[in-house]
Each structure stands twice: as C-alpha cells, then as structure tokens.
Amino acid sequence: AQTVTQSQPEMSVQEAETVTLSCTYDTSESDYYLFWYKQPPSRQMILVIRQEAYKQQNATENRFSVNFQKAAKSFSLKISDSQLGDAAMYFCAYRSGVEYGNKLVFGAGTILRVKS
Amino acid sequence: EADIYQTPRYLVIGTGKKITLECSQTMGHDKMYWYQQDPGMELHLIHYSYGVNSTEKGDLSSESTVSRIRTEHFPLTLESARPSHTSQYLCASSESGAGPEQFFGPGTRLTVL
C-alpha cells in the first residue's frame, strides 16, 4: 500500500519570504499523480498544484512550485513571496495512475503560519 | 455555478440518533468520495462510488453507510450516532478517465454528545 509522509507538523514564514514544505511517499508503482492541497481554517480544501509522475519537469502555478524527485520519492512544495492568505493546513496526496485506483492517500498535513 | 455542496455544515446531536449527511455536486462527475478527518489530522477515505448504484468501502473502517441513486447525490448515513463518530466529514468528486483532480465540499462538522 502507498504511504505519504509529511515530517513537518508546523512551519512558519515571514510575509514575502519563501518556504518549502516537505513530502515523501512510498510506492511500487511507476504511474501515479502527486498533489498538494490547501485547507484554510474552516474553509474548503482546494487543489494547489499537481504533478504527473511521468513528467520530468516540475509543476509550477504562479507562486507555487514543486521539487519532484522521483528516484528519491520526494515531492516538496515551495511557496514564494508568502502572503497572509497562504496560512493554512497543507496536505500532500498520492493517487495511483490506474483508472480504478482514483483514491487519494493523504499525508498528515503541515500547518503553515505566515507572520506579518 | 458548478460546485459541490454539503449540508449541514455543523451538526450537534445526541447518542443513538439516526443522521444523514448530504452531499451534492453539479459538475456531472461520476466518482464521489467520503473522507473522515479528525481536527488537525489527515483525511481517511471511508466510502467511494464510481457511478450510480456503485459503492465501495474505503481504507478506514466506518459504521456509516452510503447510497448512490443519482449521479449528483451521495448521502452518508449513520443509523445510531455515537460519540466516537464525532469528526469532520468531507465529500469530494472527480471526473472519470484522465482527470484525476478531486474537488472537495466544505465539510460537515459532526459532534455526537
């Protein structure tokens, strides 16, 4: 079974600075997807960024980018120019590439605090 | 507007009551999911459905049941609520085929006294 590990329960960053959230995963599959989801306090969970395992290029979405190291099974999220609105719980998630395996496996989450 | 809805958002109920948590989506997605999340913790899949009349149990054992009579509707029922059921329940949906993203509802925070 696949597992996802987020080793940082909590992180802090100064507004406008850069922060990196860590995620490692374990799988024997070669075809899969990785995601970072953001869950603000008492608000809806939304997708931040996703990465297809077959793509070597790291995904980027505006201020959010990933460092995908397939051999090391590492998938970190970098947030540049941090804003107060980035404060949330961030979850790393894994999804098998097999059609009927469309279930997400989540890590334990990292609370990100942004200081003004 | 295409979205996913959950009602109620908050529910406080006594032990032994039967409850149904509603989830509806207007995106035409075939796949729907229920996750359980304790405060500050990860999400665990408790039920999922690949389409009408298709339901499966997830990775985390749950005493709840689900049904999928209509594509857009995926309610979760607890026949007899207990304090151990206190948690947040999140509903999600996704397309079939190559679209792997799951869209989440706002969640229902359930407290059983």
Side-chain angles (χ1 to χ4, degrees):
Chain A
Q2 295 83 19
T3 58
V4 177
T5 302
Q6 293 178 250
S7 58
Q8 305 156 316
E10 191 170 326
M11 293 283 285
S12 290
V13 63
Q14 200 70 34
E15 200 174 4
E17 297 294 312
T18 296
V19 64
T20 298
L21 308 185
S22 301
C23 173
T24 58
Y25 59 95
D26 188 29
T27 184
S28 58
E29 298 178 331
S30 58
D31 181 21
Y32 52 88
Y33 300 84
L34 296 166
F35 305 86
W36 279 98
Y37 278 89
K38 171 185 177 182
Q39 187 178 39
S42 302
R43 291 179 63 189
Q44 208 151 338
M45 184 173 297
I46 58 172
L47 179 69
V48 174
I49 199 166
R50 71 174 169 215
Q51 174 82 41
E52 292 88 343
Y54 63 85
K55 289 187 177 179
Q56 292 186 334
Q57 187 172 8
N58 289 326
T60 299
E61 287 287 341
N62 300 314
R63 298 183 295 108
F64 299 88
S65 61
V66 299
N67 184 5
F68 174 48
Q69 302 288 326
K70 191 171 183 179
K73 296 180 182 175
S74 170
F75 182 61
S76 60
L77 174 70
K78 185 172 83 171
I79 306 174
S80 304
D81 187 24
S82 296
Q83 301 174 1
L84 294 177
D86 294 334
M89 185 85 149
Y90 286 81
F91 291 97
C92 179
Y94 170 102
R95 183 221 149 189
S96 168
V98 176
E99 163 59 19
Y100 277 92
N102 198 18
K103 297 176 286 182
L104 288 173
V105 177
F106 285 88
T110 296
I111 298 172
L112 178 65
R113 304 193 192 280
V114 181
K115 296 182 279 190
S116 58
Chain B
E1 181 180 340
D3 208 338
I4 181 164
Y5 306 93
Q6 289 186 245
T7 57
R9 292 291 311 278
Y10 302 91
L11 179 62
V12 180
I13 201 162
T15 297
K17 300 290 187 183
K18 177 180 179 179
I19 58 170
T20 296
L21 308 184
E22 301 288 349
C23 175
S24 295
Q25 49 94 5
T26 56
M27 296 177 281
H29 288 166
D30 288 326
K31 297 180 179 177
M32 297 189 73
Y33 311 83
W34 276 104
Y35 292 89
Q36 185 174 340
Q37 182 187 26
D38 290 330
M41 303 292 286
E42 68 261 50
L43 285 72
H44 292 285
L45 182 69
I46 52 174
H47 298 283
Y48 60 99
S49 168
Y50 290 143
V52 171
N53 294 324
S54 152
T55 61
E56 301 286 344
K57 287 191 179 295
D59 302 322
L60 181 68
S61 176
S62 174
E63 294 168 345
S64 58
T65 59
V66 293
S67 62
R68 190 91 182 274
I69 299 172
R70 302 197 317 265
T71 297
E72 63 272 21
H73 194 213
F74 190 41
L76 180 145
T77 298
L78 278 165
E79 291 292 334
S80 179
R82 295 209 300 266
S84 61
H85 296 140
T86 295
S87 189
Q88 174 160 252
Y89 294 85
L90 293 169
C91 182
S93 71
S94 70
E95 296 177 349
S96 292
E101 179 181 350
Q102 290 188 16
F103 294 85
F104 283 82
T108 294
R109 190 170 295 279
L110 172 66
T111 301
V112 184
L113 303 176

